[in-house]
Amino acid sequence: MRSHASFRFLFVIFLVLFVSCESFPKDEVWALTNFKQAIYEDPLRVLSNWNDLDADPCDWFGIFCSFARDHVVKINISGSSIRGFLPPELGRITYLQELILRGNSLIGSIPKELGMLKYLKVLDLGMNQLKGPIPSEIANLNSIMRINLESNGLTGHLPYELGNLKYLEELRLDRNRLQGTVPAGGNPDFPSNAHVYASSTNSTGLCRASQLKVVDLSYNFFVGSIPKCLKYIPSTSLQGNCLQSKDPKQRSVAQCGHAPPAKTHPTFSQKHRPAEDVPKQHQGASKPTWLLALEIITGTMVGSLFLIAVLTAFQRCNSKSSIIIPWKKSVSQNDHMAVYTDSELLKDVVRFSRQELEVACEDFSNIIGSSQDSFVYKGTMKGGSEIAVISLCIKEEHWTGYLELYFQKEVADLARLNSENTGKLLGYCSESTPFTRMLVFEYASNGTLYEHLHYGEGCQLSWTRRMKIVIGIANGLKYLHTELDPPFTISELNSSAVYLTDDFSAKVHPMPCFILMKKCPLNNKIFQNNTIANSELSVRHVTEW
């Protein structure tokens, strides 16, 4: 009888496992497949066992399933050097509890679809190269306990709705480019030495997050004063901002000059302030007839201009070009979906034809650098100016819609740079037949600082020239970080990213994130190794000076 009972027990377990494997949600497998296809660099091959034909992803690297193996509950692929995008399909992994992708090279923006993960408890995307704003849909993560988005390039305002996350315990947003005020207004009588335990309805913003214990907002561009309900935060978690604080570790006025004041969200007390508290100068007196007529005429003109602007924008939206993402399918997995890009994005950037670049670069025979995914050519334009042309060696079938969108955004971002101490983008080339994606830069005739430090003659770098180079680098960084709005962050800065002119003037060259040039054995005058992932000059290079 015991053996018969044991057999029945094993049979039930086998049946449960078999049914679970057969009934694994197709949406989750499809979402993971889309994530793999959005990763275009996997140097450690951590995703090599992600088999698209496997209906059960529970044995894939970094994937953790529930006990019954019927849902994905955790994705942990940290520190694996993968480079790519976060596809919106990740929001289809319904029962996901942890999404940990820190310490990689993810680019693009955070998809708002992540807000659909109602069971998510940990969101860790720190130490990547993500850009754009934090989507307000993140506030829909009702179960979230820990959010870590540190060390990215995130911009915009901190979503006010984050205060609705009642289980949030840890919020790390340091080392980004976030602006505006800290949305944590609350009762002015809130005790300054307490945590953000605010159960009253008078609390707003982050003051409503009753479980919040760890907050790090350092090294952003937040302005205004520190809310009283966040006084318990250590000063190190607020340093490097533009806050009204006596802490000397706040940014200087010059660094904060570009950060526009944010629109503050009204607190409860402001919304319900009685009429008698309104300043008298805000209570308008009766106006003269001529002033009223002037206001009517002005309002009519403004309304007409607004109507014209709306009609123009509508026409432009109808003329937007669409890019088909070959791997991004609809829910039925039968129809393609399109990503629409603004046709005006590159309207102010010079577009070269392949033919004129081919003539300038001597039929693309003058190769001065190369890597696994690109070639660098030297050319001379008709006017005599020397150029450096980077040609991406990516096949058209591997060029996804996400890459095209990011290519256009990076070109537009690089075109903003206009300083004597930064590399200058002259234009780009984008053609379909043959498939061509090229970037055209000014040519740096004296090579890189790396070459002079390691392979050049020591007498070339006199102390006068060294000081000139150092000052040039400092001026370039000052321009990128404090004079541009929004600031421009260089993800990899070392001696190979500093180019020298004939008179040894330094040009900091921010390479696009999708181009990581490797050391090439060819005649290397420009655009070489950018492999040290560092935001500061290498200590090794400094000591060599």
Side-chain angles (χ1 to χ4, degrees):
M1 291 293 292
R2 287 184 179 179
S3 60
H4 182 67
S6 300
F7 175 78
R8 290 179 59 187
F9 179 72
L10 292 174
F11 177 77
V12 170
I13 293 179
F14 174 78
L15 184 61
V16 169
L17 292 176
F18 178 78
V19 172
S20 299
C21 292
E22 288 296 318
S23 61
F24 201 95
K26 293 182 179 180
D27 275 358
E28 297 188 14
V29 178
W30 173 62
L32 294 174
T33 302
N34 277 276
F35 175 74
K36 180 183 179 181
Q37 291 175 336
I39 302 299
Y40 59 89
E41 284 188 17
D42 184 11
L44 304 181
R45 297 184 58 79
V46 296
L47 305 182
S48 58
N49 71 331
W50 283 37
N51 186 358
D52 299 349
L53 302 178
D54 189 355
D56 181 9
C58 297
D59 294 326
W60 294 359
F61 175 85
I63 302 299
F64 301 85
C65 295
S66 60
F67 178 77
R69 295 175 68 92
D70 56 350
H71 291 289
V72 174
V73 296
K74 180 179 179 179
I75 300 177
N76 187 352
I77 308 176
S78 57
S80 299
S81 301
I82 56 175
R83 177 178 289 271
F85 299 87
L86 290 173
E89 288 79 7
L90 286 176
R92 296 299 188 95
I93 309 179
T94 307
Y95 295 92
L96 190 65
Q97 298 179 17
E98 296 184 28
L99 179 59
I100 305 174
L101 301 172
R102 67 178 288 106
N104 289 293
S105 299
L106 298 176
I107 59 178
S109 59
I110 301 175
K112 63 181 181 180
E113 287 77 6
L114 292 185
M116 299 167 57
L117 303 174
K118 60 181 179 179
Y119 296 105
L120 193 67
K121 296 181 179 179
V122 177
L123 176 63
D124 191 346
L125 305 176
M127 300 177 66
N128 281 285
Q129 298 171 20
L130 298 170
K131 294 184 178 181
I134 300 174
S136 59
E137 286 78 5
I138 296 296
N140 295 331
L141 301 175
N142 296 326
S143 302
I144 198 71
M145 299 174 64
R146 181 161 64 94
I147 297 178
N148 189 341
L149 304 176
E150 64 182 357
S151 300
N152 281 284
L154 300 175
T155 55
H157 295 226
L158 186 60
Y160 188 78
E161 296 83 359
L162 290 180
N164 298 330
L165 302 175
K166 59 182 179 180
Y167 297 112
L168 184 62
E169 298 179 357
E170 181 178 331
L171 179 63
R172 297 187 182 272
L173 302 173
D174 53 294
R175 290 169 175 79
N176 282 284
R177 295 187 234 163
L178 299 171
Q179 299 180 351
T181 57
V182 179
N187 192 325
D189 298 327
F190 196 89
S192 60
N193 58 350
H195 290 271
V196 196
Y197 296 126
S199 57
S200 67
T201 56
N202 289 347
S203 300
T204 58
L206 293 182
C207 290
R208 295 190 61 191
S210 59
Q211 301 298 320
L212 193 58
K213 298 180 178 64
V214 178
V215 182
D216 194 344
L217 306 176
S218 59
Y219 297 102
N220 283 281
F221 291 89
F222 289 117
V223 298
S225 58
I226 302 174
K228 290 186 177 182
C229 66
L230 297 180
K231 290 291 186 179
Y232 75 92
I233 299 178
S235 60
T236 54
S237 296
L238 294 169
Q239 66 184 8
N241 281 288
C242 305
L243 296 168
Q244 299 173 5
S245 172
K246 297 181 180 180
D247 189 350
K249 294 183 179 180
Q250 294 292 316
R251 294 183 187 270
S252 64
V253 176
Q255 292 175 318
C256 297
H258 71 280
K263 294 181 180 179
T264 56
H265 297 276
T267 60
F268 179 88
S269 57
Q270 290 173 328
K271 290 180 180 179
H272 301 277
R273 181 178 297 174
E276 57 269 20
D277 291 341
V278 180
K280 293 181 180 179
Q281 58 269 29
H282 291 173
Q283 298 176 356
S286 59
K287 300 178 181 179
T289 305
W290 65 268
L291 181 59
L292 182 61
L294 180 62
E295 289 181 350
I296 294 175
I297 295 174
T298 304
T300 304
M301 294 177 61
V302 171
S304 301
L305 292 175
F306 177 76
L307 182 60
I308 294 174
V310 170
L311 292 176
T312 304
F314 180 76
Q315 292 177 353
R316 288 182 178 179
C317 288
N318 288 338
S319 62
K320 284 182 180 178
S321 59
S322 63
I323 300 173
I324 301 298
I325 301 179
W327 51 265
K328 186 176 180 182
K329 299 181 179 179
S330 63
V331 179
S332 63
Q333 303 189 32
N334 294 322
D335 301 323
H336 290 291
M337 294 180 66
V339 167
Y340 292 92
T341 60
D342 191 350
S343 57
E344 300 292 314
L345 187 63
L346 302 179
K347 67 176 182 178
D348 297 326
V349 185
V350 177
R351 180 171 180 174
F352 295 93
S353 67
R354 179 185 173 93
Q355 183 178 4
E356 62 180 318
L357 294 181
E358 188 173 3
V359 173
C361 299
E362 303 173 7
D363 295 331
F364 296 126
S365 61
N366 192 7
I367 302 175
I368 58 176
S370 67
S371 73
Q372 183 178 358
D373 296 319
S374 62
F375 281 100
V376 184
Y377 308 97
K378 179 181 180 295
T380 304
M381 302 299 289
K382 289 183 179 180
S385 59
E386 294 181 320
I387 60 173
V389 179
I390 302 180
S391 177
L392 304 185
C393 303
I394 300 180
K395 296 181 179 180
E396 185 174 7
E397 56 266 27
H398 297 154
W399 187 257
T400 66
Y402 272 134
L403 284 178
E404 177 64 27
L405 179 61
Y406 197 72
F407 175 80
Q408 294 187 19
K409 288 184 177 180
E410 285 285 287
V411 170
D413 208 19
L414 288 170
R416 296 190 299 129
L417 307 186
N418 186 21
S419 171
E420 61 180 5
N421 293 116
T422 58
K424 183 173 180 60
L425 178 74
L426 301 179
Y428 73 103
C429 176
S430 176
E431 293 187 4
S432 301
T433 308
F435 182 77
T436 304
R437 293 295 183 273
M438 294 181 178
L439 299 175
V440 183
F441 289 91
E442 283 183 335
Y443 177 66
S445 57
N446 218 347
T448 66
L449 177 59
Y450 181 90
E451 295 171 354
H452 287 275
L453 288 175
H454 295 275
Y455 305 114
E457 299 178 5
C459 60
Q460 286 188 327
L461 287 182
S462 63
W463 283 109
T464 303
R465 286 178 175 173
R466 291 170 188 253
M467 288 301 299
K468 183 177 182 179
I469 293 172
V470 170
I471 294 174
I473 295 174
N475 288 334
L477 293 177
K478 177 184 177 183
Y479 169 77
L480 295 172
H481 293 169
T482 66
E483 298 179 18
L484 280 179
D485 184 17
F488 193 106
T489 300
I490 299 180
S491 57
E492 298 183 2
L493 175 61
N494 52 35
S495 59
S496 295
V498 178
Y499 301 91
L500 305 177
T501 60
D502 287 334
D503 61 348
F504 284 88
S505 295
K507 287 182 175 290
V508 179
H509 211 296
M511 294 297 293
C513 291
F514 52 80
I515 300 177
L516 287 180
M517 306 297 289
K518 299 180 181 178
K519 219 172 185 180
C520 67
L522 303 174
N523 176 23
N524 46 8
K525 276 289 181 183
I526 59 171
F527 304 126
Q528 290 190 359
N529 182 32
N530 269 340
T531 57
I532 301 178
N534 201 338
S535 61
E536 301 177 353
L537 276 176
S538 170
V539 175
R540 175 171 58 86
H541 291 144
V542 174
T543 55
E544 289 167 350
W545 286 42

